[in-house]
């Protein structure tokens, strides 16, 4: 079973973390949203305290573990799922496996498309580096990808928290997720079949999944709200927690509850 944190009561909000991090990236959201909701965060397979399940963590297998956790926790209400980047790739699989469990969706710094050939090659090179040297070199590879230029220049506290999280992860889990992301299918066709309220949130300084690409995805979803957060990069929930929490709770109030 996945290692999880459950805080608060009421409508369940299930938050799925990015690569190569763990559930603690959602600390500021748990503190804020658990005052009114049941916040469920977890370490995805091979990250944090959750055991690795297979040599490749496919997005579908990760989605199945999330759904199994909800069964273990006896969560029978429909949930609002939020996924950031890799967490968002997993959301597309949850949509395929269990659409009846979804009350609303938040796609954060993520996209429906599969990897390009170039992105796949990059992942395989990273796997070799991590196999040889462990997770440390990933800090330099991921820092400029995960954090926007404003945060890198002005928020050493956020930078060091993200670095610490990356260093604490283990090579087999990291590499299993890299293989799984490289193998993920193109989910663009699913977008037009999403019939629950959906929020798309993007940081204007995100270089991994540019705002324009997310906006194009949002336009394919019948009931989507697209919002951007200025001066934030890929990890906008950690970089601009107050703006993030406000956008997220406004979406819940306006569209879901
Ligand atoms: C993430 O933040 O989960 C990763 O950057 C996603 C990716 O590498 O595609």
């Amino acid at each position: 079973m996945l290692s999880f944190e459950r805080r608060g009561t009421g409508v369940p909000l299930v938050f799925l973390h990015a690569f190569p991090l763990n559930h603690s990236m959602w600390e500021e959201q748990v503190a804020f949203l658990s005052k009114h909701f049941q916040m469920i965060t977890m370490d995805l397979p091979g990250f944090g305290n959750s055991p690795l399940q297979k040599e490749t963590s496919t997005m579908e297998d990760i989605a199945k573990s999330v759904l199994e956790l909800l069964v273990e926790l006896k969560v029978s209400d429909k949930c609002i799922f939020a996924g950031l980047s890799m967490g968002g790739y997993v959301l597309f699989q949850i949509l395929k496996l269990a659409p009846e469990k979804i009350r609303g969706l938040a796609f954060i710094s993520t996209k429906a498309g599969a990897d390009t050939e170039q992105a796949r090659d990059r992942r395989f090179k990273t796997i070799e580096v991590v196999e040889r040297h462990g997770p440390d070199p990933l800090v330099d590879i991921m820092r400029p990808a995960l954090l926007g230029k404003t945060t890198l220049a002005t928020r050493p506290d956020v930078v060091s928290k993200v670095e610490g999280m990356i260093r604490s992860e283990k090579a087999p889990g990291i590499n299993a997720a890299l293989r799984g992301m490289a193998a993920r299918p193109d989910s663009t066709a699913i977008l037009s079949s999403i019939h629950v309220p959906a929020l798309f949130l993007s940081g204007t300084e995100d270089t991994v999944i540019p705002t324009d690409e997310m906006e194009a995805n949002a336009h394919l979803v019948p009931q989507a709200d697209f919002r951007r957060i200025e001066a934030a990069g890929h990890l906008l929930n950690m970089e601009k927690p107050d703006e993030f929490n406000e956008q997220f709770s406004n979406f819940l109030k306006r569209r879901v509850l």
Side-chain angles (χ1 to χ4, degrees):
M1 187 165 112
L2 299 180
S3 170
F4 67 95
E5 185 185 351
R6 187 185 211 179
R7 191 109 68 87
T9 54
V11 176
L13 309 185
V14 181
F15 275 55
L16 308 180
H17 68 75
F19 168 89
L21 307 177
N22 57 59
H23 82 285
S24 64
M25 67 166 268
W26 298 118
E27 243 165 39
E28 307 254 14
Q29 284 65 50
V30 171
F32 181 79
L33 293 164
S34 65
K35 290 180 203 147
H36 302 288
F37 302 98
Q38 180 186 173
M39 279 296 283
I40 302 173
T41 57
M42 69 216 65
D43 295 333
L44 297 176
F47 292 99
N49 291 319
S50 286
L52 181 61
Q53 293 165 347
K54 293 182 186 163
E55 202 185 329
T56 299
S57 298
T58 66
M59 300 303 105
E60 185 182 4
D61 283 342
I62 299 178
K64 284 181 182 158
S65 343
V66 172
L67 293 167
E68 277 161 23
L69 174 68
L70 296 176
V71 171
E72 294 278 347
L73 297 180
K74 301 195 172 22
V75 174
S76 51
D77 291 346
K78 286 188 179 195
C79 302
I80 296 153
F81 289 91
L84 194 147
S85 204
M86 181 179 77
Y89 307 156
V90 175
L91 282 192
F92 286 106
Q93 301 304 315
I94 293 181
L95 265 161
K96 281 190 207 161
L97 293 167
E100 73 287 353
K101 299 232 178 328
I102 305 175
R103 179 162 173 185
L105 288 165
F107 294 100
I108 307 149
S109 313
T110 195
K111 63 174 180 184
D115 271 3
T116 58
E117 209 51 55
Q118 213 183 9
R120 236 172 253 143
D121 285 349
R122 259 199 317 272
R123 293 205 199 275
F124 291 122
K125 287 203 182 90
T126 308
I127 290 173
E128 276 173 33
V129 171
V130 173
E131 262 166 9
R132 218 170 305 145
H133 305 287
D136 273 6
L138 209 53
V139 173
D140 285 336
I141 298 173
M142 296 305 294
R143 186 194 300 104
L146 293 177
L147 298 167
K149 61 180 193 309
T150 306
T151 301
L152 288 169
T154 61
R155 295 290 308 274
D157 55 327
V158 176
V159 177
S160 79
K161 184 158 187 214
V162 170
E163 290 181 352
M165 243 189 275
I166 299 173
R167 280 203 187 89
S168 74
E169 295 304 337
K170 295 175 205 79
I174 290 168
N175 284 347
L178 284 167
R179 287 186 204 99
M181 287 193 286
R184 77 186 190 281
D186 184 345
S187 299
T188 309
I190 298 177
L191 291 168
S192 61
S193 68
I194 297 178
H195 289 293
V196 291
L199 172 68
F200 284 72
L201 260 182
S202 172
T204 56
E205 294 179 0
D206 190 347
T207 54
V208 181
I209 301 183
T211 297
D212 291 354
E213 197 170 346
M214 276 205 76
E215 192 166 12
N217 272 196
H219 281 148
L220 298 174
V221 177
Q223 300 184 59
D225 277 10
F226 174 75
R227 297 282 186 272
R228 37 170 84 71
I229 294 185
E230 300 295 328
H234 197 57
L235 290 181
L236 67 181
N237 70 301
M238 294 182 70
E239 297 177 57
K240 294 273 175 171
D242 295 344
E243 286 88 335
F244 180 97
N245 291 344
E246 191 186 334
Q247 292 278 8
F248 193 85
S249 29
N250 283 346
F251 164 72
L252 294 181
K253 277 185 229 146
R254 209 176 45 240
R255 301 288 314 280
V256 190
L257 302 174

